[in-house]
Amino acid sequence: MLELRPNCECCNTDLPAESPDAMICSFECTFCRDCGEGRLKGICPNCGGGLVTRPVRPASKLLKYPASTKRVFKAEGCAAAE
């Protein structure tokens, strides 16, 4: 099950579980759409995999399977994709 991390690793923008602007790679590294499509050009800076829109978990399932509250943030920012 996806963790649904609560923020962008690059800019620390909040990304609620229902956000259509969250993007993830296959390792669940999480980025906002601005960073994912802009600075990172659709490539995860951690693993080199592609970034896709994170699925939204139905609200009725969030009660039993809540989103993660653990924030992952790189204070130094993320390197731009080349």
Side-chain angles (χ1 to χ4, degrees):
M1 174 178 357
L2 295 176
E3 290 181 5
L4 303 178
R5 295 177 186 169
N7 66 302
C8 175
E9 290 185 25
C10 287
C11 69
N12 208 27
T13 294
D14 289 336
L15 295 168
E18 69 278 3
S19 177
D21 292 324
M23 300 188 78
I24 61 171
C25 71
S26 66
F27 289 96
E28 291 190 65
C29 301
T30 304
F31 307 95
C32 68
R33 188 163 304 281
D34 286 344
C35 289
E37 291 179 345
R39 178 183 314 159
L40 302 175
K41 297 179 177 55
I43 305 295
C44 177
N46 302 322
C47 70
L51 296 174
V52 297
T53 299
R54 180 178 73 189
V56 173
R57 185 169 300 151
S60 62
K61 299 295 183 191
L62 281 171
L63 295 173
K64 185 172 181 179
Y65 306 103
S68 175
T69 58
K70 181 181 176 189
R71 297 179 80 85
V72 176
F73 175 59
K74 296 180 178 182
E76 69 278 6
C78 295
E82 296 181 19

Coordinates of all heavy atoms in Angstrom, one line a residue:
M1 N 0.8 -1.2 0.0 CA 0.0 0.0 0.0 C 0.9 1.2 0.0 O 1.9 1.3 0.7 CB -0.9 0.0 1.2 CG -1.7 1.2 1.4 SD -2.8 1.1 2.9 CE -2.6 -0.4 3.6
L2 N 0.5 2.2 -0.8 CA 1.3 3.5 -0.8 C 1.3 4.2 0.5 O 0.3 4.3 1.2 CB 0.7 4.4 -1.9 CG 0.8 3.9 -3.4 CD1 0.2 4.9 -4.3 CD2 2.3 3.7 -3.8
E3 N 2.4 4.8 0.8 CA 2.5 5.6 2.1 C 1.7 6.9 2.0 O 1.3 7.4 3.0 CB 4.0 6.0 2.4 CG 4.8 4.8 2.8 CD 6.2 5.2 3.1 OE1 6.6 6.4 3.1 OE2 7.0 4.3 3.3
L4 N 1.6 7.5 0.8 CA 1.0 8.8 0.6 C 1.7 9.8 1.5 O 1.1 10.4 2.4 CB -0.5 8.8 0.9 CG -1.4 7.8 0.1 CD1 -2.8 7.9 0.6 CD2 -1.3 8.1 -1.4
R5 N 3.0 10.1 1.2 CA 3.8 11.0 2.0 C 3.2 12.4 1.9 O 2.6 12.8 0.9 CB 5.2 11.0 1.5 CG 5.9 9.6 1.7 CD 7.2 9.5 1.2 NE 7.8 8.2 1.3 CZ 8.9 7.8 0.7 NH1 9.6 8.6 0.0 NH2 9.3 6.5 0.9
P6 N 3.4 13.2 3.0 CA 2.6 14.5 3.1 C 3.3 15.7 2.5 O 2.7 16.8 2.6 CB 2.5 14.6 4.6 CG 3.8 14.0 5.1 CD 4.0 12.8 4.2
N7 N 4.4 15.6 1.8 CA 5.1 16.8 1.3 C 6.0 16.5 0.1 O 6.4 15.3 -0.1 CB 5.9 17.5 2.4 CG 7.0 16.6 2.9 OD1 6.9 15.5 3.3 ND2 8.2 17.2 2.8
C8 N 6.4 17.6 -0.5 CA 7.4 17.5 -1.6 C 8.8 17.4 -1.0 O 9.1 18.2 -0.2 CB 7.2 18.7 -2.5 SG 8.5 18.8 -3.8
E9 N 9.6 16.5 -1.5 CA 10.9 16.3 -1.0 C 11.8 17.5 -1.4 O 12.8 17.8 -0.7 CB 11.6 15.1 -1.5 CG 11.0 13.8 -1.0 CD 11.8 12.6 -1.5 OE1 13.0 12.7 -1.8 OE2 11.2 11.5 -1.5
C10 N 11.5 18.2 -2.5 CA 12.3 19.3 -2.9 C 12.0 20.7 -2.3 O 12.9 21.3 -1.8 CB 12.1 19.5 -4.4 SG 12.9 18.2 -5.4
C11 N 10.7 21.0 -2.3 CA 10.3 22.4 -1.8 C 9.5 22.3 -0.5 O 9.1 23.4 0.0 CB 9.6 23.1 -2.9 SG 7.9 22.5 -3.3
N12 N 9.2 21.2 0.0 CA 8.4 21.0 1.3 C 7.0 21.4 1.2 O 6.3 21.6 2.2 CB 9.1 21.6 2.4 CG 8.9 21.0 3.7 OD1 8.6 19.8 3.8 ND2 8.9 21.7 4.8
T13 N 6.4 21.6 0.0 CA 5.0 21.9 -0.2 C 4.2 20.8 0.4 O 4.5 19.6 0.2 CB 4.7 22.1 -1.7 OG1 5.4 23.3 -2.2 CG2 3.2 22.3 -1.9
D14 N 3.1 21.2 1.1 CA 2.2 20.1 1.6 C 1.5 19.4 0.5 O 1.0 20.1 -0.5 CB 1.2 20.8 2.5 CG 1.7 21.2 3.9 OD1 2.8 20.7 4.3 OD2 1.2 22.1 4.5
L15 N 1.3 18.1 0.6 CA 0.6 17.3 -0.4 C -0.3 16.4 0.3 O 0.0 15.3 0.6 CB 1.6 16.5 -1.3 CG 2.6 17.3 -2.1 CD1 3.7 16.4 -2.7 CD2 1.8 18.0 -3.3
P16 N -1.5 16.9 0.6 CA -2.5 16.1 1.3 C -2.8 14.8 0.5 O -2.6 14.7 -0.7 CB -3.8 17.0 1.3 CG -3.3 18.3 1.1 CD -2.0 18.2 0.3
A17 N -3.3 13.8 1.1 CA -3.6 12.5 0.5 C -4.5 12.7 -0.7 O -4.3 11.9 -1.7 CB -4.3 11.6 1.5
E18 N -5.4 13.6 -0.8 CA -6.3 13.8 -1.9 C -5.7 14.7 -3.0 O -6.4 15.0 -4.0 CB -7.6 14.4 -1.4 CG -7.6 15.8 -0.9 CD -7.1 16.0 0.6 OE1 -6.7 15.0 1.2 OE2 -7.1 17.1 1.0
S19 N -4.5 15.2 -2.8 CA -3.9 16.1 -3.8 C -3.7 15.5 -5.2 O -3.0 14.5 -5.3 CB -2.6 16.7 -3.3 OG -2.0 17.5 -4.3
P20 N -4.2 16.2 -6.2 CA -3.9 15.7 -7.6 C -2.6 16.2 -8.1 O -2.2 15.8 -9.2 CB -5.1 16.3 -8.4 CG -5.4 17.6 -7.7 CD -5.1 17.3 -6.2
D21 N -1.9 17.0 -7.3 CA -0.6 17.5 -7.7 C 0.6 16.8 -7.1 O 1.7 17.2 -7.3 CB -0.5 19.0 -7.2 CG -1.5 19.9 -8.0 OD1 -1.7 19.6 -9.2 OD2 -2.0 20.8 -7.4
A22 N 0.4 15.6 -6.5 CA 1.5 14.8 -6.0 C 2.0 13.9 -7.1 O 1.2 13.3 -7.8 CB 1.0 14.0 -4.8
M23 N 3.3 13.7 -7.2 CA 3.9 12.8 -8.1 C 4.9 11.9 -7.4 O 5.5 12.3 -6.4 CB 4.7 13.6 -9.2 CG 3.7 14.6 -10.0 SD 4.6 15.3 -11.4 CE 4.5 13.9 -12.5
I24 N 4.9 10.7 -7.8 CA 5.8 9.7 -7.2 C 6.6 8.9 -8.2 O 6.2 8.8 -9.4 CB 5.0 8.7 -6.2 CG1 4.0 7.9 -7.0 CG2 4.4 9.5 -5.1 CD1 3.3 6.8 -6.3
C25 N 7.7 8.2 -7.7 CA 8.4 7.3 -8.5 C 8.1 5.9 -8.0 O 7.3 5.8 -7.0 CB 9.9 7.5 -8.4 SG 10.6 7.1 -6.8
S26 N 8.7 4.8 -8.5 CA 8.4 3.5 -8.0 C 8.8 3.2 -6.6 O 8.4 2.2 -6.0 CB 8.9 2.4 -9.0 OG 10.3 2.5 -8.9
F27 N 9.7 4.1 -6.0 CA 10.1 3.9 -4.6 C 9.3 4.9 -3.7 O 9.6 5.0 -2.5 CB 11.6 4.3 -4.5 CG 12.5 3.2 -5.1 CD1 13.0 3.3 -6.4 CD2 12.8 2.1 -4.4 CE1 13.8 2.3 -7.0 CE2 13.6 1.1 -4.9 CZ 14.1 1.2 -6.2
E28 N 8.3 5.5 -4.3 CA 7.5 6.5 -3.5 C 8.1 7.8 -3.1 O 7.6 8.5 -2.3 CB 6.8 5.8 -2.3 CG 5.8 4.7 -2.7 CD 5.0 4.3 -1.5 OE1 4.3 5.1 -0.9 OE2 5.2 3.1 -1.1
C29 N 9.2 8.1 -3.7 CA 9.8 9.4 -3.5 C 8.7 10.4 -4.0 O 8.0 10.1 -5.0 CB 11.0 9.7 -4.4 SG 12.4 8.5 -4.0
T30 N 8.4 11.4 -3.3 CA 7.2 12.2 -3.5 C 7.6 13.7 -3.8 O 8.4 14.3 -3.1 CB 6.3 12.2 -2.3 OG1 6.0 10.8 -2.1 CG2 5.0 12.9 -2.5
F31 N 7.0 14.3 -4.9 CA 7.2 15.6 -5.3 C 5.9 16.3 -5.7 O 5.0 15.6 -6.1 CB 8.2 15.6 -6.5 CG 9.5 14.8 -6.2 CD1 9.6 13.5 -6.6 CD2 10.5 15.4 -5.5 CE1 10.7 12.8 -6.3 CE2 11.7 14.7 -5.2 CZ 11.8 13.4 -5.6
C32 N 5.9 17.6 -5.6 CA 4.8 18.4 -6.1 C 4.9 18.4 -7.6 O 5.9 18.2 -8.2 CB 4.7 19.8 -5.5 SG 6.0 20.9 -6.0
R33 N 3.8 18.7 -8.3 CA 3.8 18.7 -9.7 C 4.7 19.8 -10.3 O 5.4 19.6 -11.3 CB 2.4 19.0 -10.2 CG 2.2 18.8 -11.8 CD 0.8 18.6 -12.2 NE 0.1 17.5 -11.6 CZ 0.3 16.3 -11.9 NH1 1.1 15.9 -12.9 NH2 -0.4 15.3 -11.3
D34 N 4.8 21.0 -9.6 CA 5.7 22.0 -10.1 C 7.2 21.5 -10.1 O 7.8 21.7 -11.1 CB 5.6 23.3 -9.2 CG 4.4 24.1 -9.4 OD1 3.7 23.8 -10.4 OD2 4.0 24.9 -8.5
C35 N 7.6 20.9 -9.0 CA 9.0 20.4 -9.0 C 9.1 19.2 -10.0 O 10.1 19.1 -10.7 CB 9.4 20.0 -7.6 SG 9.7 21.4 -6.5
G36 N 8.2 18.2 -9.9 CA 8.2 17.0 -10.7 C 8.3 17.2 -12.2 O 9.1 16.6 -12.9
E37 N 7.4 18.1 -12.7 CA 7.4 18.4 -14.1 C 8.3 19.5 -14.5 O 8.9 19.4 -15.6 CB 6.0 18.7 -14.5 CG 5.0 17.5 -14.4 CD 3.6 17.9 -14.8 OE1 3.3 19.1 -14.9 OE2 2.8 16.9 -15.0
G38 N 8.6 20.4 -13.7 CA 9.4 21.6 -14.0 C 10.9 21.2 -13.8 O 11.6 20.8 -14.7
R39 N 11.3 21.5 -12.6 CA 12.8 21.3 -12.2 C 13.3 19.9 -12.5 O 14.4 19.7 -13.0 CB 12.9 21.6 -10.8 CG 14.3 21.4 -10.2 CD 14.5 21.7 -8.8 NE 13.8 22.9 -8.4 CZ 13.4 23.2 -7.2 NH1 13.6 22.4 -6.2 NH2 12.7 24.3 -6.9
L40 N 12.5 18.9 -12.2 CA 12.9 17.5 -12.4 C 12.6 16.9 -13.7 O 13.1 15.8 -14.0 CB 12.4 16.6 -11.2 CG 12.7 17.1 -9.8 CD1 12.0 16.3 -8.8 CD2 14.2 17.2 -9.6
K41 N 11.8 17.5 -14.5 CA 11.5 17.0 -15.9 C 11.0 15.6 -15.9 O 11.3 14.8 -16.8 CB 12.7 17.2 -16.8 CG 13.1 18.7 -17.0 CD 14.3 18.8 -17.9 CE 14.6 20.2 -18.2 NZ 14.9 21.1 -17.1
G42 N 10.2 15.2 -14.9 CA 9.6 13.9 -14.8 C 10.5 12.8 -14.4 O 10.2 11.6 -14.5
I43 N 11.7 13.1 -13.9 CA 12.7 12.1 -13.5 C 13.0 12.2 -12.0 O 13.4 13.3 -11.6 CB 14.0 12.2 -14.3 CG1 13.8 12.2 -15.8 CG2 15.0 11.1 -13.9 CD1 13.2 10.9 -16.3
C44 N 12.9 11.1 -11.3 CA 13.2 11.2 -9.8 C 14.7 11.4 -9.7 O 15.6 10.7 -10.2 CB 12.8 9.8 -9.2 SG 13.3 9.8 -7.4
P45 N 15.1 12.4 -8.9 CA 16.5 12.7 -8.6 C 17.2 11.7 -7.7 O 18.4 11.6 -7.7 CB 16.5 14.1 -8.0 CG 15.2 14.1 -7.2 CD 14.2 13.4 -8.1
N46 N 16.4 10.9 -7.1 CA 17.0 9.9 -6.2 C 17.3 8.6 -6.9 O 18.4 8.0 -6.6 CB 16.0 9.6 -5.0 CG 15.7 10.8 -4.2 OD1 16.5 11.7 -4.0 ND2 14.4 11.0 -3.8
C47 N 16.4 8.1 -7.7 CA 16.6 6.8 -8.3 C 16.7 6.8 -9.9 O 17.1 5.8 -10.5 CB 15.5 5.8 -7.9 SG 13.9 6.2 -8.6
G48 N 16.3 7.9 -10.5 CA 16.4 8.0 -11.9 C 15.2 7.5 -12.6 O 15.1 7.5 -13.8
G49 N 14.2 7.0 -11.8 CA 12.9 6.5 -12.4 C 12.0 7.6 -12.8 O 12.2 8.8 -12.4
G50 N 11.0 7.2 -13.5 CA 10.0 8.2 -14.0 C 9.0 8.6 -12.8 O 8.7 7.8 -11.9
L51 N 8.5 9.8 -12.9 CA 7.5 10.3 -12.0 C 6.2 10.3 -12.6 O 6.0 10.7 -13.8 CB 7.9 11.8 -11.5 CG 9.2 11.9 -10.8 CD1 9.5 13.4 -10.6 CD2 9.1 11.2 -9.5
V52 N 5.2 9.8 -11.9 CA 3.8 9.8 -12.3 C 2.9 10.4 -11.3 O 3.3 10.5 -10.1 CB 3.4 8.3 -12.6 CG1 4.2 7.7 -13.7 CG2 3.4 7.4 -11.4
T53 N 1.7 10.7 -11.7 CA 0.7 11.3 -10.7 C 0.4 10.2 -9.7 O 0.1 9.0 -10.0 CB -0.6 11.7 -11.4 OG1 -0.2 12.7 -12.4 CG2 -1.6 12.2 -10.5
R54 N 0.5 10.6 -8.4 CA 0.2 9.7 -7.3 C -1.3 9.4 -7.3 O -2.1 10.3 -7.3 CB 0.6 10.3 -6.0 CG 0.4 9.4 -4.8 CD 0.8 10.0 -3.5 NE 0.0 11.1 -3.1 CZ 0.3 12.0 -2.1 NH1 1.4 11.8 -1.4 NH2 -0.5 12.9 -1.8
P55 N -1.7 8.1 -7.2 CA -3.1 7.8 -7.1 C -3.7 8.4 -5.8 O -3.0 8.6 -4.8 CB -3.2 6.3 -7.0 CG -1.9 5.8 -7.5 CD -0.9 6.9 -7.2
V56 N -5.0 8.7 -5.8 CA -5.7 9.2 -4.7 C -6.5 8.1 -4.0 O -7.2 7.3 -4.6 CB -6.7 10.3 -5.1 CG1 -7.6 10.8 -3.9 CG2 -6.0 11.5 -5.7
R57 N -6.2 7.9 -2.7 CA -6.9 6.9 -1.9 C -8.3 7.5 -1.6 O -8.4 8.6 -1.1 CB -6.1 6.6 -0.6 CG -6.7 5.5 0.2 CD -5.8 5.0 1.3 NE -4.6 4.5 0.6 CZ -3.4 4.6 1.3 NH1 -3.3 5.0 2.5 NH2 -2.3 4.1 0.6
P58 N -9.4 6.7 -1.8 CA -10.7 7.2 -1.4 C -10.8 7.6 0.0 O -10.2 6.9 0.9 CB -11.6 5.9 -1.7 CG -10.8 5.1 -2.7 CD -9.4 5.3 -2.3
A59 N -11.5 8.6 0.3 CA -11.6 9.1 1.7 C -12.1 8.1 2.6 O -11.7 8.0 3.8 CB -12.6 10.4 1.7
S60 N -13.0 7.2 2.2 CA -13.6 6.1 3.0 C -12.5 5.2 3.5 O -12.6 4.5 4.5 CB -14.7 5.4 2.3 OG -14.2 4.8 1.2
K61 N -11.4 5.0 2.7 CA -10.3 4.1 3.0 C -9.3 4.8 3.9 O -8.5 4.1 4.5 CB -9.7 3.5 1.8 CG -10.6 2.8 0.9 CD -11.1 1.5 1.6 CE -12.0 0.7 0.7 NZ -12.7 -0.4 1.3
L62 N -9.2 6.1 3.9 CA -8.2 6.8 4.7 C -8.4 6.6 6.2 O -7.5 6.7 6.9 CB -8.2 8.3 4.3 CG -7.5 8.7 3.0 CD1 -7.8 10.1 2.7 CD2 -6.0 8.4 3.1
L63 N -9.6 6.3 6.6 CA -9.9 6.1 8.0 C -9.2 4.8 8.5 O -8.5 4.8 9.5 CB -11.4 6.0 8.3 CG -12.2 7.3 8.0 CD1 -13.6 7.0 8.2 CD2 -11.7 8.4 9.0
K64 N -9.3 3.8 7.7 CA -8.7 2.5 8.0 C -7.2 2.5 7.6 O -6.4 1.9 8.3 CB -9.4 1.4 7.4 CG -8.9 0.0 7.8 CD -9.8 -1.1 7.3 CE -9.3 -2.5 7.8 NZ -10.1 -3.6 7.3
Y65 N -6.8 3.1 6.5 CA -5.5 3.1 6.0 C -5.0 4.6 5.8 O -5.0 5.1 4.7 CB -5.5 2.4 4.6 CG -6.0 1.0 4.7 CD1 -7.3 0.8 4.2 CD2 -5.3 0.0 5.2 CE1 -7.9 -0.5 4.2 CE2 -5.9 -1.3 5.3 CZ -7.1 -1.5 4.8 OH -7.7 -2.8 4.8
P66 N -4.6 5.2 6.9 CA -4.3 6.7 6.8 C -3.0 6.9 6.0 O -2.1 6.1 5.9 CB -4.1 7.1 8.3 CG -3.8 5.8 9.0 CD -4.5 4.7 8.2
A67 N -2.9 8.1 5.5 CA -1.7 8.6 4.9 C -0.6 8.8 5.9 O -0.8 9.0 7.1 CB -2.0 9.9 4.2
S68 N 0.7 8.7 5.4 CA 1.8 8.9 6.3 C 1.9 10.3 6.8 O 1.4 11.3 6.1 CB 3.1 8.6 5.5 OG 4.2 8.9 6.2
T69 N 2.5 10.5 7.9 CA 2.7 11.8 8.5 C 4.2 12.1 8.5 O 4.6 13.2 8.9 CB 2.1 12.0 9.9 OG1 2.7 11.0 10.7 CG2 0.6 11.8 9.9
K70 N 5.0 11.2 8.1 CA 6.5 11.3 8.1 C 6.9 12.2 6.9 O 6.7 11.8 5.7 CB 7.2 10.0 8.0 CG 8.7 10.1 8.0 CD 9.3 8.8 8.0 CE 10.8 8.9 7.9 NZ 11.5 7.7 7.6
R71 N 7.5 13.3 7.2 CA 7.9 14.3 6.1 C 9.3 13.9 5.7 O 10.2 13.7 6.5 CB 7.8 15.7 6.6 CG 6.4 16.1 6.9 CD 6.3 17.5 7.4 NE 6.4 18.5 6.3 CZ 5.3 18.9 5.6 NH1 4.1 18.4 5.8 NH2 5.5 19.8 4.6
V72 N 9.6 13.9 4.4 CA 10.9 13.7 3.8 C 11.2 15.0 3.1 O 10.5 15.4 2.2 CB 11.0 12.5 2.9 CG1 12.3 12.4 2.2 CG2 10.6 11.2 3.6
F73 N 12.3 15.7 3.5 CA 12.6 17.0 2.9 C 14.1 17.1 2.8 O 14.8 16.9 3.7 CB 12.0 18.1 3.7 CG 12.4 19.5 3.2 CD1 12.1 19.9 2.0 CD2 13.1 20.3 4.1 CE1 12.5 21.2 1.5 CE2 13.5 21.6 3.6 CZ 13.2 22.0 2.4
K74 N 14.6 17.5 1.6 CA 16.0 17.8 1.4 C 16.2 19.3 1.5 O 15.9 20.0 0.5 CB 16.4 17.3 0.0 CG 16.3 15.8 -0.1 CD 16.7 15.3 -1.4 CE 16.5 13.8 -1.4 NZ 16.9 13.1 -2.6
A75 N 16.7 19.7 2.6 CA 16.9 21.1 2.8 C 17.8 21.8 1.7 O 17.6 23.0 1.4 CB 17.5 21.4 4.2
E76 N 18.7 21.0 1.2 CA 19.5 21.5 0.1 C 18.8 21.6 -1.2 O 19.4 22.0 -2.2 CB 20.8 20.7 0.0 CG 20.6 19.3 -0.5 CD 20.1 18.2 0.5 OE1 19.8 18.6 1.6 OE2 20.1 17.0 0.1
G77 N 17.6 21.1 -1.3 CA 16.8 21.1 -2.5 C 17.2 19.8 -3.4 O 17.9 19.0 -3.0
C78 N 16.6 19.8 -4.5 CA 16.8 18.7 -5.5 C 17.6 19.2 -6.7 O 17.3 20.3 -7.2 CB 15.5 18.1 -5.9 SG 14.6 17.3 -4.6
A79 N 18.5 18.4 -7.2 CA 19.2 18.7 -8.4 C 18.3 18.6 -9.6 O 17.4 17.7 -9.6 CB 20.4 17.7 -8.5
A80 N 18.4 19.5 -10.5 CA 17.6 19.5 -11.7 C 18.0 18.4 -12.6 O 19.1 18.0 -12.6 CB 17.7 20.8 -12.4
A81 N 17.0 17.8 -13.2 CA 17.3 16.7 -14.2 C 18.0 17.3 -15.4 O 17.8 18.4 -15.8 CB 16.0 16.1 -14.6
E82 N 18.9 16.5 -15.9 CA 19.7 17.0 -17.1 C 19.2 16.3 -18.4 O 18.6 15.3 -18.4 CB 21.1 16.7 -16.9 CG 21.7 17.5 -15.7 CD 23.1 17.2 -15.5 OE1 23.8 16.8 -16.4 OE2 23.6 17.5 -14.4

